[in-house]
Amino acid sequence: MHFFRFARPLAAHKACKGVFLHPMNKYKRRTAIKGGPFLRLTVHEVRQKHKNDLDAASLRVRWCYGERMASALFILNGPNLNRLGTREPDVYGHTTLGDIERMCRETADDIGFDIEFRQTNFEGMLVDWIQEAGDVAQGLIINPAAYTHTSVAIRDAITTADIPTVEVHLSNIHARDAFRHHSYVSPVAYGVICGFGATGYRLAIEALSEVIRA
């Protein structure tokens, strides 16, 4: 089970000693609390526990390893990616989404990151998750799949989230059908990785970790 440690609302910390600012980059990373009270909860538990009594925007996430603080990454996958392994294997290969998730967790563990790995076939759900990532995560990796070429809503959500984002595609979208050449996500992403199959997710995690820690 993967956990986040959520600090209590920022106002509650004003009386706490040891409040300090974590080194920040241009993405205005969250205030960290040293020695303050924490709630050890999963993301789902936090949503359920606090949806009626806490302002979600006041939550500040930190996953702590002693004095060292690592970051949380959201890895979001769009429509039809749940069919990987059987869907057009000549294009996408035989690797399943479960295989990709295991690889991502191993890669993230090796470099000290915790991840939330999710997939949905619904555009609105992706928007909800991107908004959640903006509240609690240090970075976002997203494979919007077909929504890459159609969704202004996903583009706007990424812009509003204001965290470094990497767009990933298993295939080289620029070598395929003409309608796949345009991406609504690329202009608001920190970077784009495509055409390397499942390896692209590992490359995205490694690259994003360097951006966050810069």
Side-chain angles (χ1 to χ4, degrees):
M1 176 66 71
H2 293 266
F3 290 93
F4 286 121
R5 280 190 172 186
F6 280 86
R8 299 183 191 279
L10 191 59
H13 282 130
K14 291 183 178 178
C16 297
K17 296 182 179 180
V19 176
F20 69 100
L21 291 179
H22 190 268
M24 293 186 179
N25 59 21
K26 68 177 182 177
Y27 292 98
K28 307 186 294 296
R29 295 323 313 145
R30 316 299 192 220
T31 301
I33 307 300
K34 184 177 182 181
F38 287 93
L39 302 171
R40 187 175 175 83
L41 300 169
T42 65
V43 171
H44 175 73
E45 288 170 336
V46 167
R47 286 201 302 266
Q48 295 302 311
K49 182 177 181 63
H50 299 296
K51 64 182 178 181
N52 294 324
D53 60 340
L54 287 180
D55 177 7
S58 70
L59 295 175
R60 299 296 184 262
V61 65
R62 278 292 184 268
W63 177 258
C64 303
Y65 298 87
E67 290 297 311
R68 181 173 68 87
M69 290 187 175
S71 302
L73 300 180
F74 270 44
I75 303 177
L76 304 182
N77 299 276
N80 296 311
L81 292 173
N82 57 312
R83 306 299 293 175
L84 287 176
T86 58
R87 175 197 175 202
E88 298 181 79
D90 55 323
V91 175
Y92 300 106
H94 294 280
T95 303
T96 67
L97 193 63
D99 295 333
I100 293 174
E101 180 176 1
R102 283 188 289 274
M103 178 192 66
C104 288
R105 293 197 181 281
E106 291 172 359
T107 302
D109 286 345
D110 287 343
I111 57 178
F113 277 72
D114 190 66
I115 66 170
E116 279 286 315
F117 192 99
R118 304 176 184 178
Q119 186 276 333
T120 181
N121 293 324
F122 299 97
E123 182 179 16
M125 184 65 74
L126 275 177
V127 170
D128 285 345
W129 289 346
I130 294 167
Q131 291 176 355
E132 180 183 345
D135 288 336
V136 303
Q138 293 283 346
L140 170 65
I141 295 168
I142 185 168
N143 183 345
Y147 289 136
T148 303
H149 322 292
T150 64
S151 181
V152 175
I154 289 174
R155 173 194 173 112
D156 289 348
I158 291 171
T159 301
T160 303
D162 194 29
I163 55 176
T165 299
V166 177
E167 176 186 354
V168 172
H169 299 284
L170 296 168
S171 64
N172 181 355
I173 60 175
H174 302 288
R176 300 182 61 191
D177 316 85
F179 71 86
R180 299 183 191 272
H181 297 176
H182 173 72
S183 168
Y184 280 99
V185 174
S186 294
V188 296
Y190 191 95
V192 181
I193 298 174
C194 68
F196 292 95
T199 302
Y201 285 80
R202 176 176 59 79
L203 297 174
I205 293 171
E206 293 172 348
L208 195 53
S209 70
E210 294 185 8
V211 171
I212 292 169
R213 290 168 172 167

